Amino acid sequence: MSILKVDPQKIEYTDTSQIDPDYTNKMNKEYNWMAKGYDAFMIVFPLWKRWIKKVIPYIEGKKVLEVSFGSGYLMTQYAANDFDVYGIDYNEKMLEIASTKMLSNEISAKLSLANVEFLPFPNNKFNTIINTMAFTGYPNGDKAMAEFKRVLKEDGILLLVDFDYPENRNLLGYWIVKLWEKLGDIIKDINSLLSKYEFNYQDISIGGFGSVHLFIAKNK
Ligand SMILES: C[S@@+](CC[C@H](N)C(=O)[O-])C[C@H]1O[C@@H](n2cnc3c(N)ncnc32)[C@H](O)[C@@H]1O
């Protein structure tokens, strides 16, 4: 079976020294045209919904922040509960679509436009931060993680779903991650970042041959 495993030396994270300084704005242009079709994409690829919904049972406390909510699908799945929900996204069209969706679902959530690197909230505000399928789209994982840490309460929880290499280095999962990188995302060593920012965390493989991870990270 070892023939199906990738050599550990091939597990390389994206070289961040090569990232275009205008990366976020360029990706944002892509999201402008993706926004309208985003819900349709989730219908033809229902696994996506299944993956991101894995965070729901782990939400804790009253104040919840969803960073990079996209078209707001996930929010419709948990926000009707007794949470005080906030959300930010960088893309205006996503914000428009998600806001309309919240209105039509009679969900009250405070949504705004912002960059993950500068979250418009005071320190220690949230019990839970949700971040799904967005972390590999940030140019600077360090800054994003530092902001998560700053706005989380001391015992708050970060729930992060994204692509990372499969722990068992299986070839299929490895290729999926490489494909994601080819499509323009920045593959990050999320485990190291969580350790650096002193989270106590679990890394659970939830699909994609081990390439889709759910990180349940407790602030300490
Ligand atoms: C692939 S979508 C994921 C949307 C949703 N969370 C999901 O799971 O389907 C990535 C989202 O991240 C947002 N995003 C990208 N860069 C961002 C940044 N620097 N700050 C905040 N949001 C950002 C995009 O606008 C987009 O809505």
Side-chain angles (χ1 to χ4, degrees):
M1 286 306 270
S2 66
I3 201 159
L4 297 174
K5 293 217 173 194
V6 173
D7 185 331
Q9 290 185 336
K10 285 188 138 179
I11 305 286
E12 280 180 357
Y13 290 97
T14 311
D15 179 1
T16 46
S17 67
Q18 303 298 320
I19 295 172
D20 183 337
D22 206 27
Y23 176 90
T24 298
N25 288 323
K26 287 193 174 149
M27 289 302 281
N28 197 43
K29 287 193 185 124
E30 310 269 314
Y31 282 117
N32 279 340
W33 67 260
M34 272 191 243
K36 253 195 176 161
Y38 202 81
D39 284 338
F41 156 73
M42 286 198 273
I43 289 167
V44 294
F45 193 62
L47 264 182
W48 193 273
K49 288 184 177 177
R50 203 192 297 168
W51 290 337
I52 65 179
K53 281 200 292 191
K54 296 271 183 195
V55 300
I56 295 174
Y58 299 99
I59 299 174
E60 285 180 4
K62 179 103 180 138
K63 284 200 170 8
V64 178
L65 169 65
E66 188 172 340
V67 177
S68 303
F69 48 70
S71 66
Y73 166 75
L74 181 60
M75 210 172 263
T76 64
Q77 302 301 297
Y78 68 86
N81 295 319
D82 196 22
F83 298 124
D84 191 5
V85 180
Y86 294 71
I88 70 101
D89 197 283
Y90 193 74
N91 185 272
E92 265 180 52
K93 293 210 162 82
M94 293 290 198
L95 173 63
E96 217 177 283
I97 291 167
S99 302
T100 308
K101 199 174 279 161
M102 294 313 128
L103 268 180
S104 59
N105 283 278
E106 297 182 1
I107 289 171
S108 112
K110 299 159 209 59
L111 307 186
S112 59
L113 215 54
N115 189 333
V116 65
E117 294 185 9
F118 308 98
L119 293 177
F121 304 108
N123 299 352
N124 310 316
K125 184 175 171 83
F126 296 101
N127 301 100
T128 298
I129 294 179
I130 296 172
N131 184 240
T132 62
M133 299 305 200
F135 202 74
T136 57
Y138 304 147
N140 191 326
D142 217 295
K143 278 193 181 165
M145 196 60 83
E147 279 296 84
F148 292 161
K149 178 89 183 175
R150 181 183 68 75
V151 303
L152 260 185
K153 286 184 188 288
E154 254 175 40
D155 60 346
I157 190 161
L158 166 65
L159 304 172
L160 195 158
V161 172
D162 219 322
F163 290 94
D164 196 348
Y165 291 108
E167 203 190 347
N168 66 4
R169 295 180 281 110
N170 78 80
L171 206 53
L172 283 171
Y174 171 83
W175 280 340
I176 291 172
V177 175
K178 281 291 167 202
L179 172 68
W180 217 243
E181 189 179 42
K182 275 264 177 298
L183 293 174
D185 273 35
I186 297 158
I187 307 305
K188 302 175 176 74
D189 186 350
I190 301 174
N191 283 275
S192 294
L193 280 167
L194 289 169
S195 299
K196 176 174 174 187
Y197 284 92
E198 298 184 329
F199 284 96
N200 274 329
Y201 69 92
Q202 268 177 276
D203 170 2
I204 304 171
S205 156
I206 57 169
F209 300 96
S211 66
V212 184
H213 298 240
L214 162 64
F215 295 93
I216 303 167
K218 195 90 178 150
N219 202 3
K220 56 172 180 176

